[in-house]
Amino acid sequence: MSNEGDNEDVDHELRVSKIRDGTVIDHVRGGQALNVLAILGIDGSKGEELSIGMNVPSDRLARKDIVKVEGRELSQDEVDVLSLIAPDATINIVRDYDVEEKHRVERPDVVEGVLSCPNAACITTGNEPVTSRFTVLEDGVRCSYCETIVREEIASLIDT
Amino acid sequence: MRHDHLITSKQLSRADIETVLDHAADIAADPSAVADRHAGTLLGLLFFEPSTRTKMSFETAMKRLGGDVVDMGSIESSSVKKGETLADTVRVIEGYADAIVLRHPKQGSATMASEFVDVPLLNAGDGAGHHPTQTLLDLYTIRENAGLDDLTIGIMGDLKYGRTVHSLAHALTNFDTRQHFVSPESLRLPREVVYDLHQQQDGTGIREHESLEDILPSLDVLYVTRIQRERFPDENEYQTVAGEYQIDVETLEAASDDLTVMHPLPRVDEIAPEIDQTDHAAYFEQAHNGVPVRMALLDLLLSDDGTAGPDGTDDTSGGDLDE
């Protein structure tokens, strides 16, 4: 298996510390790293060990962010949801300093409980016992209840 | 597969619509044939917003089928006032009634409520979202007056918040129609509705306008809705646009003699009363059609096997709401 931070952008990846076991989320669009953490529900309050690189030069993306989460391997569901704000991301699962698995994100058909509907008149914005649900469109997301379509600023809908 | 709930007109295929309209026509011709068909059946009416026509026509329809209604009454006298959620309310009423009719000010309320109940739930208006049973009576009226194919229809007024417009527009894509949407810029169709219309009809039959003038002569039907004063932050802005979307006999001089004018009601001043006496006016007929259409819909939904023959007997050869 290759060493963490293989080939492309190796110098830049090494700007943030290597991890022993966990996940490296690479090729996140520049400026989206904090939204990636929000969508994963990671805010550091539980003692997670995090390394974040933001707006570092990249060959594939002009500028990219990198997020490294020590001691946690992301589930496929989490990876899929990431695609909404980081469609170019690659997910590296690291074990004992080596990249054991490498995945590209795939867009899911539906995301539940992750985003809040921006429509104040939507039933999901009240105190009903309902989990938000959005269908994923080619160029955005759509509330399964009020049908509002959001194409821009999806990250601002992240239910933190 | 048959539908358990009716939430949006997008659920309805052309066959579904024709099944309901055909059954409604049979009922209108001979209401006595179904008079006792649903004796003992109770329909729960949950209206979280004021309603006259929709509520009373559902009540009339159920009673004319031999059943009865249980009515939540006003919000002020219900547990909603104590903070009960809609999810809890529908779960309680499910235990009382065989079907539920829901009107609620929040978009998506009917979708959410349907996830909590097993009895059929009919959306009688969810905020600015949908109003599919209104659409069925609209289609019935259009079919009676102008037919549903090779139809040019103008839909004018508040297209942004007009739930009857959204539902009607979706349903019309099942037929050979050309739809012209006429509104002020600020009250154009929501992009969600436009998105769906383009998905359903690849956009070829859809046009948006700010003026009725150019398209009026080509219309078979003009469906007028109220420009809602309360939607405008500025009274002057409302006055400017409202006047442009009112029709009178003079306006209709440019229209075909066969033009059918419809309105989901209530109207305020968007259709001059003088039009009531002309052959164009179909809006009171439209309101009356709510009863046989809702009788047909309830009959189809509440029949044990989802079928109801035109003579009021079970007829497995047709009548399933989703053939």
Side-chain angles (χ1 to χ4, degrees):
Chain A
M1 289 291 170
S2 61
N3 197 272
E4 179 200 347
D6 61 347
N7 304 325
E8 186 194 357
D9 310 327
V10 62
D11 291 343
H12 304 117
E13 288 196 27
L14 291 174
R15 285 187 187 181
V16 292
S17 63
K18 295 176 72 172
I19 61 174
R20 175 172 182 162
D21 297 295
T23 304
V24 177
I25 307 165
D26 198 2
H27 301 110
V28 174
R29 288 181 181 175
Q32 292 292 321
L34 297 180
N35 289 326
V36 165
L37 291 174
I39 216 167
L40 296 174
I42 297 172
D43 62 6
S45 64
K46 294 177 184 138
E48 304 97 329
E49 192 177 316
L50 303 171
S51 303
I52 301 170
M54 294 184 76
N55 293 313
V56 298
S58 162
D59 290 343
R60 196 197 312 170
L61 307 171
R63 294 277 170 178
K64 69 171 184 176
D65 291 358
I66 306 168
V67 176
K68 301 187 179 190
V69 186
E70 181 71 54
R72 177 167 167 183
E73 294 186 8
L74 297 183
S75 69
Q76 190 59 48
D77 283 349
E78 290 174 312
V79 171
D80 288 345
V81 169
L82 274 182
S83 69
L84 300 180
I85 57 170
D88 311 300
T90 47
I91 311 295
N92 302 294
I93 303 298
V94 179
R95 294 177 191 132
D96 198 19
Y97 296 107
D98 279 336
V99 175
E100 294 285 338
E101 296 174 29
K102 194 162 189 145
H103 309 288
R104 297 292 290 270
V105 297
E106 285 184 30
R107 292 171 73 76
D109 296 329
V110 175
V111 290
E112 289 193 70
V114 176
L115 308 174
S116 293
C117 185
N119 177 8
C122 177
I123 192 70
T124 61
T125 63
N127 64 341
E128 299 293 336
V130 61
T131 303
S132 73
R133 186 170 67 236
F134 286 78
T135 53
V136 178
L137 309 176
E138 238 174 66
D139 59 348
V141 294
R142 183 177 208 180
C143 176
S144 301
Y145 292 93
C146 73
E147 304 185 343
T148 293
I149 292 174
V150 182
R151 293 195 173 93
E152 307 88 23
E153 304 295 326
I154 293 173
S156 68
L157 307 183
I158 294 168
D159 196 4
T160 53
Chain B
M1 191 185 84
R2 58 184 291 242
H3 301 299
D4 293 322
H5 308 294
L6 180 55
I7 307 299
T8 90
S9 63
K10 286 187 278 183
Q11 290 171 250
L12 300 172
S13 66
R14 179 179 180 128
D16 291 334
I17 292 166
E18 288 178 338
T19 296
V20 176
L21 303 195
D22 289 348
H23 194 35
D26 291 333
I27 289 172
D30 183 13
S32 64
V34 292
D36 296 318
R37 188 165 165 76
H38 292 283
T41 300
L42 280 176
L43 183 64
L45 301 179
L46 303 184
F47 280 71
F48 291 76
E49 278 184 338
S51 169
T52 303
R53 283 155 304 283
T54 303
K55 187 176 178 182
M56 288 187 69
S57 69
F58 262 115
E59 186 168 357
T60 305
M62 192 69 254
K63 289 182 174 176
R64 288 201 181 280
L65 289 168
D68 209 339
V69 298
V70 285
D71 186 344
M72 179 180 82
S74 68
I75 293 173
E76 286 67 29
S77 63
S78 74
S79 292
V80 176
K81 200 70 181 168
K82 301 173 188 169
E84 185 178 59
T85 63
L86 174 61
D88 280 2
T89 302
V90 294
R91 279 183 285 191
V92 170
I93 304 307
E94 173 184 37
Y96 303 161
D98 301 292
I100 292 172
V101 178
L102 174 68
R103 169 169 292 186
H104 196 279
K106 290 275 195 178
Q107 278 174 261
S109 52
T111 301
M112 188 212 74
S114 71
E115 294 174 354
F116 287 90
V117 297
D118 290 326
V119 299
L121 186 141
L122 297 114
N123 181 8
D126 60 333
H130 301 276
H131 196 350
T133 68
Q134 174 72 39
T135 290
L136 288 168
L137 72 91
D138 291 343
L139 294 174
Y140 184 91
T141 308
I142 293 170
R143 190 171 78 164
E144 293 283 301
N145 284 276
L148 281 170
D149 282 310
D150 192 21
L151 177 76
T152 303
I153 180 169
I155 303 179
M156 183 173 81
D158 179 356
L159 311 183
K160 183 175 183 180
Y161 299 103
R163 56 194 171 200
T164 65
V165 170
H166 306 161
S167 287
L168 179 60
H170 289 308
L172 284 171
T173 61
N174 286 295
F175 302 91
D176 174 18
T177 57
R178 293 163 293 281
Q179 300 190 55
H180 295 277
F181 297 97
V182 184
S183 73
E185 172 72 21
S186 58
L187 295 176
R188 289 176 67 169
L189 283 174
R191 64 179 176 178
E192 290 76 24
V193 176
V194 174
Y195 175 88
D196 283 333
L197 294 179
H198 281 263
Q199 294 279 311
Q200 289 166 308
Q201 205 177 44
D202 65 26
T204 52
I206 313 294
R207 295 285 183 275
E208 295 182 89
H209 313 265
E210 286 193 43
S211 167
L212 177 65
E213 195 177 339
D214 293 342
I215 55 154
L216 181 60
S218 69
L219 299 181
D220 300 304
V221 174
L222 176 60
Y223 190 99
V224 184
T225 66
R226 184 169 65 94
I227 301 272
Q228 300 171 86
R229 179 176 298 204
E230 62 272 24
R231 305 293 186 196
F232 288 81
D234 184 294
E235 176 67 17
N236 289 334
E237 189 185 341
Y238 164 75
Q239 293 296 347
T240 303
V241 301
E244 291 187 26
Y245 297 91
Q246 292 168 349
I247 60 168
D248 54 23
V249 167
E250 194 179 339
T251 313
L252 296 189
E253 283 176 2
S256 156
D257 290 344
D258 296 329
L259 175 73
T260 298
V261 177
M262 297 173 62
H263 192 301
L265 304 180
R267 69 170 156 173
V268 180
D269 54 8
E270 53 276 12
I271 299 177
E274 63 199 27
I275 294 178
D276 300 359
Q277 311 308 321
T278 71
D279 290 339
H280 296 301
Y283 26 92
F284 291 114
E285 169 195 345
Q286 184 184 354
H288 297 163
N289 288 337
V291 173
V293 168
R294 290 187 170 113
M295 286 174 75
L297 182 62
L298 289 170
D299 190 27
L300 291 161
L301 282 171
L302 293 169
S303 296
D304 287 343
D305 58 358
T307 62
D311 59 356
T313 59
D314 284 351
D315 175 4
T316 53
S317 66
D320 192 318
L321 193 52
D322 190 12
E323 290 179 314

